[in-house]
Amino acid sequence: MLDMWNPWEIYDRLIEQIDPSVRVSACGRAGKWAFVENSEAGAGMAFHMPVESVPRSLPEDVTGLSLREVAAFAKSWNFAEAAVGMAALNSWYALPSRAEAAGFARCQVNNWQNLFDPWAKETAGKRVVVIGHFPFAPAALPAVSELIVLERNTLPGDLPDSAAEYVLPTCDYVFITGSAFVNKTMPRLLELSRGARTIIVGPSSPAAPMLAEYGVDTLTTFSVTDVASFQPALSGHLLGGMYEAGRRIEFHAH
């Protein structure tokens, strides 16, 4: 389990597994996503948070830099910079052949709006927390005894994310958005959720089975299978969006 005295452990372990010889071949932002492509024909994304809390150290153009070097910026307290770091990290783990070898399989439905559907029966009568505002969650989980949504930028009915300290230890199921890797809340959220069935969701999540060692039971993320379509898809130039460039994949620890 996570060493609470070193919340960086989870990031350091993810970063150190990246081959330092792999290079960044493309990098940018498309809509709400930061994206990175690499010389191994991998591609990844992470939720862009426009938070310039500390000066940037990452160059505007990281093309040609070591993928591991760029991925290390996932630890930055400048969240806009950290999103690029996570996208670089995800481009390594989400390579289709690597993800498949690690035990990831295709999700039955290639649409994020359906991500809660497989949990409808299992969560019946349970106290469920969703970290991140997913507007389609209530309809997909109609039989839960209580559905609590934690969100930094609250909408009506949400609790502020600071309620996590009080709420998570009392819940049966916890769904955590992968963007929690970007803002550095993921290590603490996993620690608070250790008594619950914990599911990480979203394209910002690394396809890394070692996350099971930190209490993750299920991990659902995204693997780019057509790098040529990746940037046009994220930019909205393809009708099917990101789904024309790849697929949702999942890993179950138990």
Side-chain angles (χ1 to χ4, degrees):
M1 289 295 291
L2 178 67
D3 176 1
M4 277 306 298
W5 298 108
N6 180 20
W8 292 122
E9 178 186 283
I10 193 168
Y11 292 91
D12 291 337
R13 290 185 64 195
L14 287 167
I15 293 163
E16 70 185 10
Q17 293 184 37
I18 299 174
D19 183 342
S21 69
V22 177
R23 300 285 163 176
V24 174
S25 57
C27 174
R29 181 184 168 193
K32 62 183 181 181
W33 304 106
F35 68 84
V36 167
E37 299 174 10
N38 66 49
S39 59
E40 200 183 33
M45 69 188 90
F47 187 69
H48 172 80
M49 296 182 181
V51 179
E52 303 279 354
S53 52
V54 297
R56 286 199 191 202
S57 300
L58 191 67
E60 285 294 325
D61 184 6
V62 298
T63 302
L65 295 182
S66 163
L67 186 69
R68 183 196 282 184
E69 178 184 345
V70 176
F73 282 88
K75 298 173 66 174
S76 174
W77 287 111
N78 181 309
F79 292 163
E81 188 175 64
V84 177
M86 281 306 304
L89 193 152
N90 292 342
S91 76
W92 168 262
Y93 286 96
L95 185 75
S97 58
R98 180 168 292 115
E100 183 177 355
F104 282 80
R106 296 188 184 200
C107 294
Q108 289 188 349
V109 181
N110 197 27
N111 190 314
W112 287 111
Q113 289 192 339
N114 299 100
L115 72 91
F116 295 105
D117 294 2
W119 302 94
K121 291 184 179 180
E122 189 174 333
T123 57
K126 304 298 184 180
R127 195 165 191 246
V128 177
V129 171
V130 176
I131 299 174
H133 188 94
F134 295 86
F136 40 84
L141 304 171
V144 300
S145 64
E146 185 177 11
L147 179 63
I148 301 167
V149 176
L150 304 183
E151 173 60 50
R152 180 152 297 184
N153 301 307
T154 57
L155 293 172
D158 296 346
L159 294 183
D161 61 349
S162 56
E165 296 286 335
Y166 305 83
V167 172
L168 294 186
T170 68
C171 288
D172 301 304
Y173 285 77
V174 178
F175 294 86
I176 307 175
T177 173
S179 61
F181 281 105
V182 178
N183 67 18
K184 313 300 182 295
T185 57
M186 184 62 80
R188 181 58 178 161
L189 293 174
L190 291 177
E191 177 69 14
L192 291 168
S193 305
R194 59 191 174 189
R197 185 165 181 83
T198 305
I199 304 99
I200 297 180
V201 299
S204 300
S205 311
M210 51 87 59
L211 293 173
E213 298 174 32
Y214 299 88
V216 177
D217 296 293
T218 298
L219 174 59
T220 302
T221 185
F222 193 79
S223 179
V224 176
T225 55
D226 183 358
V227 178
S229 299
F230 182 49
Q231 292 185 42
L234 285 189
S235 300
H237 298 148
L238 299 180
L239 187 62
M242 71 171 70
Y243 310 110
E244 292 202 29
R247 58 177 183 258
R248 291 176 59 226
I249 56 174
E250 61 185 359
F251 174 85
H252 300 278
H254 305 290

